[in-house]
Amino acid sequence: MRGFLKKVLRGVAIGVANVIPGVSGGTMMVSMGIYPNVIGAVTGFFSDWRRSVRILFPYAAGMGIGVVCFSFLMEYFFKAFPLQTALLFLGLILGGIPLLLPKVSGARPKPAEAALFLCFFALILWTQSFGAGEPKEYAAGLTAGTGKLFGAGALAAAAMVIPGVSGSMILMALGYYTLVLCCINTFLTAAVLFDWKTAGECLWLLAPFGTGVLLGILAVAKLVEYFLRRWERQSYFAVLGLVAASPAAVFGPLTIEHGGVADILTGAALFLLGIFVSGRLGK
């Protein structure tokens, strides 16, 4: 039971990370040492679905809890306490680096491995140069192109699977982040209030988006599994580059207007807490 609850808590952290622009759910999985296991369960779903469900269920349940609970809170926390919130998630990401180091230790990095690290480090910095696309707000009765929603979901899912790349940031760049987040929140509120008309309107938008997410995860997971199986050490050098660039990804979308001594001290404490929690969840 204790092991199951730990997996659910890991899922909560991944779900929260997927809600926040700039933070990668894939990186959280790598930091916690569960990435290969989860990817293998996803790609092997059709060959041994019972095993895959057994592995994925606690993580999926935790992700659902994280998305549902924190989709209402994250916007407030990032607006009210941007420095502290960013430092907490930075600690959660960087706290998993010790779990990655054994994957690349044992020999000096080859030129190709060092190049992979630098290329993927630069990739994250490059993504920060993109501004957000035109935001699309949710409103009652809104209709949106099914193909566009499907494509946005597939692209976001691909980013969620790849460590270091934020699915929420991709949605923000495409202009669909606000739409999807507001639609989820509106659906949950409508369901609680038994407002089935509004809930149905939200599902009309969420269904093609969710379908794109599922297919995107399956497609990219197969590709990632292939690289990990054929070139594990090289793949982890690339992942380390993505993780090392995470400060730019976390702080890039934020606007921090002021930071007093209290903000800095509480932020530093939360950063250390994030490192501690990441290390505990990764064991």
Side-chain angles (χ1 to χ4, degrees):
M1 185 64 180
R2 184 180 178 183
F4 179 85
L5 290 177
K6 180 180 282 190
K7 290 178 181 178
V8 171
L9 289 175
R10 288 170 175 168
V12 171
I14 297 165
V16 173
N18 280 326
V19 173
I20 302 171
V23 182
S24 167
T27 299
M28 295 299 293
M29 286 191 283
V30 170
S31 297
M32 294 172 186
I34 63 174
Y35 188 77
N37 198 29
V38 171
I39 292 297
V42 171
T43 57
F45 186 85
F46 295 107
S47 59
D48 190 353
W49 67 269
R50 288 184 178 86
R51 175 182 175 276
S52 293
V53 169
R54 188 168 59 251
I55 293 173
L56 295 174
F57 176 74
Y59 298 125
M63 288 176 65
I65 294 170
V67 170
V68 169
C69 293
F70 285 87
S71 61
F72 288 97
L73 299 176
M74 282 302 100
E75 184 177 2
Y76 168 76
F77 282 131
F78 265 102
K79 285 184 178 179
F81 310 104
L83 179 63
Q84 295 94 323
T85 307
L87 284 172
L88 172 62
F89 277 90
L90 186 61
L92 286 169
I93 294 171
L94 297 184
I97 287 182
L99 297 172
L100 294 176
L101 294 179
K103 301 291 186 179
V104 298
S105 61
R108 290 185 60 184
K110 297 177 181 178
E113 293 168 343
L116 281 170
F117 175 89
L118 293 174
C119 286
F120 279 83
F121 183 92
L123 176 64
I124 295 300
L125 300 183
W126 179 60
T127 62
Q128 303 308 304
S129 66
F130 292 105
E134 182 182 355
K136 300 172 177 61
E137 301 286 348
Y138 170 78
L142 176 67
T143 59
T146 300
K148 291 182 179 180
L149 285 166
F150 176 86
L155 287 173
M160 291 173 193
V161 172
I162 300 172
V165 185
S166 168
S168 295
M169 184 179 292
I170 296 298
L171 283 178
M172 185 172 285
L174 295 173
Y176 282 93
Y177 179 77
T178 303
L179 169 68
V180 173
L181 193 63
C182 289
C183 196
I184 292 172
N185 291 342
T186 303
F187 171 78
L188 294 172
T189 303
V192 170
L193 298 175
F194 302 105
D195 182 359
W196 304 121
K197 181 177 182 295
T198 301
E201 290 174 348
C202 293
L203 283 177
W204 182 256
L205 295 178
L206 291 174
F209 176 80
T211 303
V213 167
L214 289 175
L215 294 180
I217 288 175
L218 287 173
V220 176
K222 282 282 187 184
L223 186 62
V224 169
E225 185 187 44
Y226 173 78
F227 279 106
L228 286 175
R229 186 172 63 249
R230 292 289 300 273
W231 301 288
E232 182 183 37
R233 180 177 162 90
Q234 293 89 335
S235 297
Y236 274 102
F237 267 103
V239 170
L240 270 175
L242 295 172
V243 175
S246 60
V250 173
F251 286 97
L254 296 181
T255 300
I256 301 175
E257 298 178 354
H258 62 277
V261 175
D263 292 334
I264 294 173
L265 291 177
T266 54
L270 288 169
F271 174 75
L272 295 175
L273 176 64
I275 291 177
F276 173 77
V277 170
S278 180
R280 296 294 296 177
L281 290 176
K283 291 181 178 180

